[in-house]
Amino acid sequence: MIAYNQFAQNDAGLKPLVLTELIQHTSQVNLNTMLMPMLAALSQKESWLVMLEPPKSLTKQVLADAGVDLKKVWILRRDKRHGLDKLAQRALQAGTCHTLICWHNDPADDALVSQLKRTQISSETECLLVRKKI
């Protein structure tokens, strides 16, 4: 697994989005189990934790059992009108979340990765991109 930060170019007083990627390179590692303590901690912050297209295995019950405060979590899923890129941009533009976590499991979502790497924001929101390369 590799984690690194990607910073975009600064433009017109906006700050680059801090983008951290977690990449799963082997099926031997269960990222959900590894993420649970972090999700629980992030849900204790003052503003919203936004989870964009989390795996179906991360049910509300699983999250609650791991200590995640569901009152401070938004779970967003794509639909015909809203793709991952649009949902991510709306969450970031709202400025009401401290962390946006995006699960990227489909090669069709590669545009989202490129877009996030170029994103400029006016808030303190950080982004975690979780994806599999197996």
Side-chain angles (χ1 to χ4, degrees):
M1 181 170 20
I2 299 172
Y4 68 94
N5 288 330
Q6 176 69 41
F7 297 92
Q9 296 284 335
N10 198 356
D11 183 22
L14 296 175
K15 296 176 278 189
L17 174 67
V18 176
L19 175 62
T20 301
E21 292 186 73
L22 291 177
I23 303 171
Q24 181 179 4
H25 289 281
T26 175
S27 60
Q28 305 292 328
V29 177
N30 182 345
L31 287 181
N32 291 348
T33 303
M34 292 177 58
L35 289 173
M36 284 302 160
M38 182 182 65
L39 295 175
L42 288 171
S43 73
Q44 303 305 312
K45 290 190 172 189
E46 290 297 316
S47 57
W48 293 97
L49 167 62
V50 176
M51 297 171 53
L52 180 56
E53 201 66 36
K56 301 250 190 264
S57 60
L58 287 183
T59 64
K60 288 182 180 182
Q61 187 61 53
V62 168
L63 293 169
D65 290 347
V68 175
D69 182 355
L70 296 176
K71 293 180 217 150
K72 293 185 180 178
V73 175
W74 285 346
I75 297 175
L76 304 177
R77 299 213 181 266
R78 69 177 111 205
D79 60 21
K80 291 179 184 176
R81 293 183 348 195
H82 302 96
L84 286 182
D85 56 339
K86 298 287 186 220
L87 290 171
Q89 285 302 320
R90 283 189 171 184
L92 292 170
Q93 289 170 351
T96 57
C97 64
H98 58 79
T99 306
L100 171 67
I101 302 177
C102 303
W103 277 263
H104 170 283
N105 296 315
D106 187 331
D109 296 333
D110 285 343
L112 172 67
V113 177
S114 297
Q115 178 184 344
L116 288 172
K117 287 180 179 179
R118 294 188 313 269
T119 298
Q120 300 284 314
I121 59 172
S122 59
S123 68
E124 297 295 321
T125 304
E126 295 183 8
C127 184
L128 173 64
L129 181 65
V130 181
R131 59 182 168 156
K132 295 179 181 178
K133 286 223 174 182
I134 47 178

